[in-house]
Structures are given as structure tokens and as C-alpha cells.
Amino acid sequence: MKRKITLWMSAAATAFGLSATTVQSEGGSFTPPQYSNFLSFGIGVVPDYIGSDDNFIGAAPFGIFGLGENRFVSIVANSAYVNVSKDKNFRFGPTATYRFGRDDDVDDSVVSLMEEIDDTVELGAFAGYMMELSDDIRDRATFGGQIAFDVGGVHNGYAASINARRWFPVGKFGVLGLGAAVTYGSGDYMDTYFSVSPVDAATTGLPQYKAGDGLRDARVMALFIHPITKNWVAGGGVYYSRILGDAADSPIVEDRGKKDQLIYGLGIGYVW
């Protein structure tokens, strides 16, 4: 059930702008530029876990809530971002992520035999810069990054990402968003999620493997949103990730999964 909850969240984030990444959201909010308050629910298809070649269908919420003076709270799947900056262009603030682990209920019969990885909480910060490129509020670009540290004692490391996004007006009311991001994982983080311990090797028959620090993946994404009434909008998103480095070489990915990850979904949202 824990795995299913993870994927429900990821599907919704894809439908209305997954920022990062992977089954876990990373890299800040991919927020539709013309809305200061936005709540959506989406349905989509996502990998079973990072590197899996099995998929799951599910749905969950995504939203942004304005706090006034350019400040906001954004919820993206299992992550929250609080922009405390009053500046129109610069954005920064704390982040919190509930990172799901890996249970024995994954579909892969071999990976399911590995030692379970508990859920954990990560705390960190994000920063970014937004540029308005014309008088149309939909026409803008954003650049940013974030870093989050494990405070739950599971991987005891950190993950850091940088991202870029570009929004284009489509017709009178629609908007197309394109984005790219990369994530770096510390040695402890990569070891927890991509290594195969001697115990796991003996249980599963996979070769022992120890993942080191480095780039975990690179991602590109596209999102289209269009109003259907004054307060209701519909949209769809697609997200492609290429797992890199030691993560890609892990037997969990190379032998039992795949390096190319695809997430896609549809959603409906309410704006005010």
C-alpha cells in the first residue's frame, strides 16, 4: 500500500507539472504562471520505483496557495515548498519532502526480496529566479535549485537538483510549459537506494554492488493546461528521465529495471 500511495502522488504531479522528478518530486514547483491559487487532481502512469520497468496507475492532488506579497506555499506530490521572498523575481525558502522507501510489495519478484527501505523525511531549501519575457503573464522563464537532507535517519545523505522551465502562451488562454532538471545524490543517498548489499545478493542472486555519489538522473518534461470554465482547467503532462552514473549501473536498474523512465498523466484543477 505504501508503494501505491507514492505513485498516486507522482501521477498527480505529472498531470499538472511534476518538477523533478523521478517517482519522488524534486526540483521545486512547476507552477502554472497565471494562477496564484490552484488545486488539482490527476491520474497518470508512473514507474513502480526509480529504475523500475513496471508501471502503476493512480491519482492524487497538487496545489499552490498564495500568501500575499508574492509569497506562496506549493504542494507537489510528496514535497512542500514555502516561498518566503516578497520579491517579484527572486524566490527562496524551506522545503520538506516525505521520501517513500521501497517495500516488499514491488512488482519485481527479485527486487521485492531485498531488504526494505523505510520512509523518511528530508528538509532543505530552494531558490530560484523568474523572468517575465513579455506583458503576457504566461510568457516567462524560471531557473532554480534545491537541496534536501535526510532527517529521518534512513539514508543520512542528501539530494540536490537544478532546474530550468519555460512557459509559452497558447492561444488566448492556454499555456505550454517545458522543463529540464538534473539531480545529484550524495554517497549515502545513492548507497541506500541503488546498492546491493551482501545480504541482498545472497537473497536475490543479484551481484553485490555499491553505488557512489554522483548524478542520479536527468529529466525533461512538458505540460499543457487550458481553461474549460472561469474556475476550472484541464491539462496533461509527460515526463522523461534518464538514470545516470552509479544509479544506472546498479543491478536494480540495469538487470531488473531500465534506465529510461516515462511518466504521463491527465488532470483537472480548480483555480481562484
Side-chain angles (χ1 to χ4, degrees):
M1 178 59 70
K2 185 187 301 180
R3 172 179 61 88
K4 294 180 180 180
I5 293 173
T6 306
L7 299 176
W8 292 342
M9 290 184 171
S10 299
T14 298
F16 274 110
L18 185 66
S19 60
T21 202
T22 71
V23 177
Q24 313 282 354
S25 72
E26 292 169 328
S29 172
F30 199 12
T31 306
Q34 66 269 49
Y35 307 128
S36 57
N37 292 285
F38 179 70
L39 179 62
S40 74
F41 291 86
I43 184 169
V45 176
V46 295
D48 206 359
Y49 55 87
I50 300 177
S52 174
D53 61 358
D54 296 309
N55 294 319
F56 188 83
I57 299 175
F62 163 85
I64 182 169
F65 309 97
L67 302 176
E69 298 181 300
N70 298 311
R71 295 172 298 177
F72 60 81
V73 175
S74 179
I75 306 297
V76 184
N78 53 308
S79 294
Y81 304 84
V82 182
N83 175 42
V84 299
S85 171
K86 296 181 181 181
D87 189 272
K88 184 179 181 180
N89 302 107
F90 288 100
R91 300 171 176 182
F92 61 86
T95 70
T97 295
Y98 190 90
R99 186 175 294 277
F100 292 90
R102 187 178 63 233
D103 286 347
D104 58 6
D105 64 347
V106 299
D107 288 338
D108 189 283
S109 60
V110 173
V111 176
S112 67
L113 299 176
M114 298 179 68
E115 291 184 296
E116 294 185 8
I117 302 173
D118 291 335
D119 298 349
T120 191
V121 173
E122 298 172 352
L123 299 179
F126 80 97
Y129 182 78
M130 184 274 294
M131 297 186 301
E132 295 181 344
L133 302 177
S134 72
D135 293 336
D136 192 325
I137 191 174
R138 298 171 295 169
D139 189 14
R140 61 174 61 184
T142 61
F143 308 90
Q146 76 170 63
I147 187 168
F149 297 85
D150 177 29
V151 296
V154 173
H155 63 77
N156 296 310
Y158 66 88
S161 62
I162 57 174
N163 57 78
R165 299 169 195 119
R166 178 73 167 89
W167 290 97
F168 300 90
V170 178
K172 291 184 177 180
F173 305 108
V175 62
L176 172 67
L178 302 177
V182 295
T183 291
Y184 171 92
S186 70
D188 289 333
Y189 168 89
M190 298 286 280
D191 181 43
T192 299
Y193 295 102
F194 296 102
S195 289
V196 178
S197 70
V199 172
D200 287 334
T203 303
T204 64
L206 294 172
Q208 293 185 35
Y209 181 77
K210 184 174 179 60
D213 66 304
L215 290 179
R216 185 195 68 191
D217 68 338
R219 310 176 292 283
V220 293
M221 58 214 76
L223 168 72
F224 178 72
I225 297 176
H226 199 281
I228 51 179
T229 69
K230 180 180 178 180
N231 296 107
W232 291 94
V233 299
V238 61
Y239 160 104
Y240 167 77
S241 172
R242 175 72 176 184
I243 298 178
L244 304 172
D246 281 12
D249 293 337
S250 168
I252 301 170
V253 177
E254 189 168 43
D255 297 344
R256 302 301 307 179
K258 60 182 179 181
K259 301 174 184 179
D260 298 303
Q261 305 276 281
L262 186 65
I263 304 174
Y264 51 94
L266 299 171
I268 187 168
Y270 182 79
V271 300
W272 69 98

